[in-house]
Amino acid sequence: MRLFIIVLSVFIHVQLRAQIGMGEWRFHVNTSKAIDVVASDELVYCALENGVLQFDPESKEYGLATAVNGLSDIRPSNLYWLENCRELVIGYENGNLDFLKGIDVINLPALKLASIPNSKRINKFSYYQDYLYAATDFAVIKIDVVKKEIKDTYYPTNGLSPIMDIYFSGDSIYALSASKLYHGLLTNPALPDQSQWQEDDRLPELSGNLSYTHVKPFGGKLLYLQQNTAFGSDTLFAYENGNRSVIFGDASSVQINSFTIQDDLLLINNEGSILVYNNAFSLDSSYSAANFGTWFSVKQSIYGPKGLWSADNEKGLVYYPNQFDFQPVSARGTRNSYFYSMDWQEGKLAIGSGYLLDKLPAFSKNGIHFFEKEGEEEKWRFRDVYETSCWDGLNVWDMLDVSINPKNPTEYAVSTYSEVPVTVFKGDSCETFTDANSTLEKTAIGNGWSLVSDVCYDDKGNLWCLNGYSEMPLNVRLASDGSWQNFDLGAAAKNKYTKKMVIDFDGNIWCATYNSGLFGYSYGESISDISDDNRINLQTGENAGNLPSENVTAIAVDFDGELWIGTDAGFAILYNASNVFSAGAGNFDAQRVKVTFEGNVEYVLGSTHITDIEVDGGNRKWVGTATSGIILLSSDGSDILAQYTTENSPLISNVIFDLKLDHNTGELFIITDKGLVSFRTNSSYEDPSYESAKVFPNPVRPGYSGPITIQGIRYNSDVKITDAAGNLVYKTTSNGGTATWDGNNLEGKPVSSGVYFIWTAQNEGKGEKVGKVAIVR
């Protein structure tokens, strides 16, 4: 057995800060979808899709524990409060186990690491005679909570059917599968053997659309929940002395999610209500959506400090002061856990929350997320498909891309693979565009939909759209009059599956395709005049573009005007990209960066499948990959400066979908196959005026070991640190508009307490004092 102890350094307060510190990570959790809730005397704990919310009802403070800041895994499935030990137990979908006590997390990974072919999901916990029992998708696990070890494993169904719930009576343990109830003697040393378990005939065997999910004794009866795959057809039964009776449901057309036994109360958790019965099975109180004027999707409920709490699948953690009032806990987070592509402009991050199934629509209606600052607070907002007037009654799905207009950040465009391929929002108004009122076309494959895989605003506010599976894939909506125009990219681009698009600093448009290479288009002096337009297609092979692969998966333009092209087989650079439109055959090949390693000449990153490339304020390249996490390259690509993976960083997955930098702060947002995380890099855009210059943390207090950050300075500045007497203590060069100091002197030793002055100059010239920082040792 392996046992890990992790110091959970952030749970309370961290989510209340406006920004994360340099080098820190955060997991952007869906706080609207709650799964489970438990409580101690003072705190309430709520399991979310990607973390655990802790709330103090007295102080109103909350914190989020995630796989980035201390938890051992990503997707909780169940919680349990161990009152005797004062510990929170967190079960995960993959069988992992965490014990949270104070600020310590003790991880028990034995079940997660076990060689078991079936699912190891933890479904329920139950505590009996000093042991914690876990009902999992293959067995019942007996856990010593003191030693933090697995004592035994019982197989009532021989591992072939999930164990949904367990309870204890006398010297027997009862295990509920989806179709049957089993029992065995706890004193039986051979209990791990499936043959030692007996079927319990008090519950009839189920099949077809019916299944069991919960079982518990209450009020002298045995309660069990029978669920039906048909919505609103669930039933809560009671068994007593050979008789079965309906407690709730049956012909009532209700969807029962669970029930909770707490002291002498039965809490029935439904779609739309919580019903509380006493042990005589009389209705004690009712918390109904009809009383609140809004719908509820209650997964679990419990009485805790100050009253009733629920884990709601739409509103997150909810508190009910009485039967006619509810108070969702306002924890900052996303509306759902679907993220596909992003755009950033001046402090606003927009995320398209759709996705595709290979090259086909997923028919997802997950909307659009926005993350931005409002004063000193950061806020998540959400554009709900079902609450958008211009989409009412229309077949719109799969929000694939979103672009914010740099000329007017209140305007943004959304592209989809549906019957409504492009929508433009301006404040509270919106306008949809299809083949009926624009140059956009339906797919050539004849499914009746339109694929717009990418949208980009240029610096004039014109909206460019990449229309896949069409004769004329490149389209533009002019900012001047709202008219549309499309462009011929050549025979090789017709009716092809398109992917990403970028616009370089000269206004040229570059379009990526699947297995047809990269297309470039220059519209000359005027968009409307095609007489001086030029186009180019880069493919594999010398004199044809020399790409590593014709499946182009990423494009980026750096500050030197170079076009970085990522493919599923490595990357290449198109130098002097603006000049290739007039170049002769063989003079527009992309180049691969080579290095010498152990006497061999190799390509940087080899044949790595690249999914995205982002250029930071220091002209360095952040490269997302399909299996190897994130790689940071030097400005020319010849050096690998860092690599972030699940093995060496808080990155939650090595599968990267999209990257986007907040160039004001340097925070890198990362979409993975397991959710959205971000990391504050040591680079940002410059501020030539120094008006936004700041130094943080300041003062530097005892015990702080992170970097001291100087942000809001000129690009590529020399930075010098001096003491009060003017002696040089440290020097470095900024990455864009950001420089960092580790608090050490030129000899690598920590400086003493005092005030230190920070001076900058753009590589040469007279220094300018940016600020000062106080260090307290």
Side-chain angles (χ1 to χ4, degrees):
M1 184 199 73
R2 290 195 289 171
L3 193 66
F4 301 95
I5 299 180
I6 307 167
V7 175
L8 186 64
S9 58
V10 282
F11 210 146
I12 296 296
H13 303 303
V14 68
Q15 293 296 323
L16 303 179
R17 295 190 304 180
Q19 294 179 0
I20 56 174
M22 187 64 59
E24 291 182 359
W25 293 72
R26 55 177 165 178
F27 198 148
H28 297 277
V29 175
N30 172 14
T31 54
S32 297
K33 189 170 185 178
I35 297 167
D36 198 8
V37 60
V38 297
S40 69
D41 294 338
E42 299 175 346
L43 301 173
V44 180
Y45 298 93
C46 182
L48 306 169
E49 273 193 333
N50 302 119
V52 175
L53 174 69
Q54 176 181 285
F55 183 70
D56 184 339
E58 192 65 39
S59 67
K60 310 297 185 188
E61 293 180 332
Y62 77 90
L64 284 173
T66 70
V68 164
N69 65 16
L71 298 187
S72 65
D73 230 302
I74 295 172
R75 297 185 69 87
S77 58
N78 202 243
L79 300 179
Y80 192 85
W81 176 251
L82 283 170
E83 181 62 35
N84 292 343
C85 305
R86 307 295 295 173
E87 291 180 333
L88 177 70
V89 186
I90 307 169
Y92 294 91
E93 290 188 354
N94 61 3
N96 211 350
L97 272 168
D98 278 343
F99 295 82
L100 171 65
K101 187 170 186 176
I103 63 169
D104 293 333
V105 173
I106 301 176
N107 177 228
L108 179 57
L111 178 57
K112 173 186 174 181
L113 299 175
S115 298
I116 298 169
N118 300 330
S119 167
K120 294 175 275 189
R121 185 183 193 274
I122 295 176
N123 298 314
K124 300 278 194 325
F125 288 113
S126 187
Y127 189 73
Y128 187 70
Q129 294 184 346
D130 300 326
Y131 287 97
L132 181 70
Y133 292 79
T136 77
D137 269 359
F138 74 99
V140 176
I141 309 298
K142 182 180 180 180
I143 303 164
D144 187 324
V145 296
V146 176
K147 295 181 178 179
K148 302 294 187 294
E149 63 182 21
I150 293 176
K151 295 294 292 183
D152 228 331
T153 304
Y154 306 140
Y155 296 91
T157 64
N158 205 25
L160 300 178
S161 180
I163 306 301
M164 306 306 298
D165 203 356
I166 46 182
Y167 79 93
F168 302 87
S169 179
D171 58 358
S172 295
I173 177 175
Y174 294 81
L176 182 71
S177 76
S179 60
K180 300 177 183 179
L181 179 66
Y182 301 84
H183 66 267
L185 287 174
L186 285 169
T187 55
N188 183 356
L191 193 57
D193 185 348
Q194 188 265 341
S195 67
Q196 302 300 302
W197 289 79
Q198 308 297 317
E199 292 184 18
D200 194 313
D201 61 5
R202 291 178 295 173
L203 271 64
E205 184 174 349
L206 298 182
S207 61
N209 296 332
L210 301 177
S211 63
Y212 295 124
T213 56
H214 297 69
V215 63
K216 285 290 185 295
F218 177 73
K221 305 175 187 289
L222 182 65
L223 305 187
Y224 58 94
L225 177 57
Q226 176 182 292
Q227 293 189 320
N228 194 314
T229 54
F231 186 89
S233 303
D234 302 335
T235 309
L236 178 59
F237 288 98
Y239 177 92
E240 184 183 25
N241 299 328
N243 297 313
R244 299 182 183 89
S245 59
V246 174
I247 299 298
F248 185 62
D250 195 20
S252 303
S253 297
V254 295
Q255 181 75 12
I256 307 173
N257 294 323
S258 67
F259 68 83
T260 309
I261 305 295
Q262 188 175 10
D263 300 325
D264 291 328
L265 295 175
L266 165 66
L267 289 74
I268 306 177
N269 310 305
N270 312 299
E271 290 295 313
S273 69
I274 304 172
L275 303 179
V276 182
Y277 289 80
N278 59 32
N279 58 7
F281 293 94
S282 296
L283 186 63
D284 188 73
S285 55
S286 172
Y287 299 80
S288 171
N291 295 337
F292 301 132
T294 184
W295 190 251
F296 285 83
S297 178
V298 183
K299 293 303 180 183
Q300 188 61 268
S301 65
I302 192 168
Y303 281 98
K306 292 187 177 294
L308 182 65
W309 301 83
S310 77
D312 192 278
N313 208 39
E314 295 181 358
K315 294 177 173 63
L317 177 61
V318 180
Y319 169 57
Y320 306 86
N322 54 61
Q323 296 179 60
F324 301 96
D325 190 17
F326 72 97
Q327 298 173 6
V329 173
S330 183
R332 185 173 66 233
T334 65
R335 178 71 67 87
N336 58 50
S337 297
Y338 296 97
F339 312 100
Y340 193 78
S341 64
M342 301 177 281
D343 189 32
W344 176 90
Q345 289 289 340
E346 293 304 319
K348 177 189 288 188
L349 181 77
I351 306 175
S353 298
Y355 62 100
L356 294 178
L357 298 174
D358 193 15
K359 301 181 188 66
L360 298 174
F363 305 105
S364 63
K365 295 197 173 186
N366 297 316
I368 310 151
H369 283 100
F370 298 92
F371 187 55
E372 56 191 319
K373 285 189 66 174
E374 291 184 6
E376 291 302 314
E377 288 292 318
E378 291 176 327
K379 301 286 186 181
W380 278 102
R381 293 190 297 107
F382 183 69
R383 167 71 71 177
D384 194 320
V385 174
Y386 299 100
E387 297 176 0
T388 300
S389 60
C390 64
W391 288 337
D392 188 30
L394 299 178
N395 292 320
V396 55
W397 53 72
D398 294 324
M399 314 298 155
L400 300 184
D401 193 44
V402 57
S403 182
I404 303 170
N405 188 346
K407 301 288 288 184
N408 177 14
T410 64
E411 177 181 326
Y412 59 94
V414 178
S415 69
T416 77
Y417 190 175
S418 72
E419 293 180 6
V420 185
V422 172
T423 304
V424 175
F425 293 88
K426 294 182 181 180
D428 296 329
S429 65
C430 56
E431 186 175 4
T432 59
F433 296 97
T434 68
D435 62 308
N437 62 349
S438 73
T439 56
L440 300 172
E441 303 173 41
K442 291 182 179 179
T443 63
I445 57 180
N447 54 23
W449 310 319
S450 296
L451 167 62
V452 174
S453 59
D454 206 350
V455 283
C456 290
Y457 282 98
D458 63 23
D459 59 7
K460 298 180 179 64
N462 301 311
L463 177 63
W464 295 85
C465 306
L466 191 55
N467 186 192
Y469 294 133
S470 70
E471 288 286 311
M472 307 274 273
L474 183 60
N475 296 254
V476 65
R477 180 176 183 256
L478 297 178
S480 57
D481 58 7
S483 63
W484 284 81
Q485 187 174 340
N486 55 8
F487 304 88
D488 189 355
L489 295 181
K494 296 183 183 302
N495 303 319
K496 298 299 172 62
Y497 181 78
T498 58
K499 304 183 84 172
K500 297 185 179 182
M501 172 175 56
V502 297
I503 303 171
D504 66 24
F505 294 117
D506 293 306
N508 304 312
I509 298 93
W510 301 91
C511 310
T513 66
Y514 176 79
N515 285 348
S516 295
L518 181 71
F519 293 86
Y521 196 87
S522 172
Y523 58 76
E525 293 296 322
S526 170
I527 292 178
S528 58
D529 180 9
I530 64 171
S531 63
D532 59 349
D533 293 4
N534 287 291
R535 67 190 185 209
I536 193 169
N537 178 207
L538 277 68
Q539 299 179 336
T540 56
E542 291 188 12
N543 301 329
N546 205 31
L547 297 181
S549 164
E550 290 180 1
N551 182 16
V552 179
T553 53
I555 330 169
V557 180
D558 73 6
F559 295 153
D560 296 325
E562 298 169 354
L563 190 70
W564 289 62
I565 307 163
T567 74
D568 61 357
F571 77 92
I573 305 172
L574 185 62
Y575 297 98
N576 296 318
S578 293
N579 296 327
V580 301
F581 295 100
S582 58
N587 293 321
F588 54 83
D589 282 357
Q591 307 296 315
R592 304 195 68 180
V593 179
K594 299 177 182 178
V595 293
T596 302
F597 180 73
E598 295 182 350
N600 299 316
V601 176
E602 301 177 356
Y603 294 126
V604 174
L605 303 190
S607 59
T608 300
H609 185 161
I610 292 167
T611 55
D612 198 15
I613 302 173
E614 279 290 304
V615 181
D616 70 15
N619 210 29
R620 302 175 304 176
K621 314 305 184 295
W622 295 83
V623 180
T625 72
T627 58
S628 304
I630 302 168
I631 300 167
L632 175 61
L633 297 178
S634 60
S635 60
D636 63 358
S638 61
D639 293 319
I640 297 177
L641 304 178
Q643 183 171 8
Y644 300 90
T645 67
T646 56
E647 290 74 28
N648 68 2
S649 76
L651 185 64
I652 60 173
S653 172
N654 290 332
V655 181
I656 310 300
F657 289 165
D658 198 22
L659 302 173
K660 190 63 65 176
L661 276 159
D662 178 339
H663 288 291
N664 288 341
T665 65
E667 188 168 3
L668 178 68
F669 291 85
I670 307 158
I671 296 178
T672 77
D673 62 334
K674 294 182 179 179
L676 175 70
V677 296
S678 60
F679 161 66
R680 190 161 185 176
T681 72
N682 61 351
S683 177
S684 63
Y685 275 174
E686 69 165 353
D687 181 355
S689 68
Y690 291 90
E691 290 180 358
S692 63
K694 56 184 175 181
V695 181
F696 60 92
N698 193 6
V700 178
R701 302 187 184 279
Y704 178 75
S705 59
I708 301 164
T709 303
I710 305 101
Q711 198 164 68
I713 58 180
R714 289 186 66 91
Y715 175 79
N716 201 25
S717 294
D718 282 339
V719 178
K720 296 180 180 181
I721 314 293
T722 67
D723 60 21
N727 299 308
L728 180 65
V729 173
Y730 184 80
K731 61 180 180 179
T732 187
T733 302
S734 69
N735 290 312
T738 296
T740 57
W741 175 35
D742 59 7
N744 294 334
N745 60 24
L746 293 171
E747 297 176 353
K749 298 178 181 179
V751 299
S752 58
S753 297
V755 176
Y756 294 84
F757 295 91
I758 301 165
W759 306 80
T760 72
Q762 194 178 16
N763 282 333
E764 58 185 31
K766 185 179 180 181
E768 177 174 341
K769 187 173 77 171
V770 174
K772 58 186 177 181
V773 59
I775 295 180
V776 183
R777 296 297 187 190

